[in-house]
Amino acid sequence: MNAARRPRRYVLRATGFFAVAVAGIVMGTVASAHHMDVLNGLAVGIVGVSLGLAIAMLSRAYMTEVRIPARTRPLIAMSQAMGAGQAVSGEFKAGLREVTLGVPRTRWKHGRVKITPRSVVWVPLTGRARDLAGAQCTGSRQIDPTYTEMTLSLPSYYKGEDVRVMTLHAGGTDIELAAPARLLEIIRYSLGDMR
């Protein structure tokens, strides 16, 4: 199924469960007015289950939210260029942090990765840009679910994505970049294309 339709599907299901819950409330009210305890108990159960499922569907729709179209178009263009073996151009948000041996994990910094056919640069919200051209990918991992990743804050439109962390060796130091796996693959491709 098209990724853009997934959240809509969950919202429609939630609406259906809310409708069942409303029907259950009406049925319970009628049963209570006519002193039908068994039917009233059944109605309470139906309302409880329906509301629980409706809330679950709404949270699922939120978790699988896809990027808004303005964000999707550049990603599609970068993916198509990569698939055709061409140079990639574009930019997207990514977290970065320094990796120093013997030092606890440092805070994540917010910024953007800007890719052109001749460069890959990480630009922070404030401060100096970091040139990643010539960097070598030395590994990747999943986001650490413990408190050590608490300072990593990514845009809401990355919800539902497979966000990963890629380690790069650049300019004699190791750094980590955090972004959805598909975007990290584009970075890896762009860096390899510059060698």
Side-chain angles (χ1 to χ4, degrees):
M1 178 174 283
N2 186 335
R5 288 184 171 175
R6 260 184 271 154
R8 192 178 307 141
R9 178 181 66 177
Y10 291 123
V11 170
L12 289 174
R13 286 182 183 173
T15 304
F17 286 125
F18 273 123
V20 171
V22 169
I25 291 170
V26 170
M27 184 174 80
T29 305
V30 170
S32 181
H34 290 88
H35 305 292
M36 303 167 117
D37 293 337
V38 175
L39 192 57
N40 189 23
L42 179 63
V44 168
I46 289 172
V47 170
V49 170
S50 298
L51 287 177
L53 289 171
I55 291 168
M57 290 298 113
L58 287 176
S59 69
R60 192 85 171 147
Y62 176 74
M63 288 170 53
T64 58
E65 184 176 296
V66 294
R67 283 174 299 281
I68 56 176
R71 305 282 179 186
T72 305
R73 283 191 293 275
L75 175 60
I76 291 170
M78 287 189 284
S79 296
Q80 287 174 340
M82 188 174 78
Q86 300 169 349
V88 173
S89 292
E91 68 176 71
F92 52 85
K93 292 185 179 181
L96 178 141
R97 74 174 168 191
E98 308 278 339
V99 179
T100 308
L101 289 175
V103 176
R105 291 183 174 173
T106 55
R107 292 181 62 84
W108 286 97
K109 298 174 186 172
H110 309 289
R112 293 179 170 276
V113 173
K114 295 187 177 184
I115 301 173
T116 69
R118 298 176 188 265
S119 68
V120 177
V121 179
W122 182 79
V123 182
L125 295 177
T126 58
R128 223 177 50 152
R130 181 155 196 155
D131 186 8
L132 301 178
Q136 296 179 325
C137 179
T138 58
S140 71
R141 64 176 176 82
Q142 292 183 326
I143 293 292
D144 186 349
T146 64
Y147 71 95
T148 55
E149 301 285 12
M150 283 176 65
T151 60
L152 175 61
S153 176
L154 291 171
S156 60
Y157 52 81
Y158 283 167
K159 285 191 185 304
E161 293 281 350
D162 177 24
V163 175
R164 298 186 65 82
V165 175
M166 179 170 68
T167 307
L168 296 171
H169 186 73
T173 60
D174 287 333
I175 59 171
E176 288 184 327
L177 281 177
R182 295 189 321 172
L183 298 176
L184 293 179
E185 196 57 43
I186 290 170
I187 293 174
R188 188 180 286 119
Y189 169 82
S190 299
L191 292 173
D193 202 38
M194 292 178 188
R195 292 196 187 110

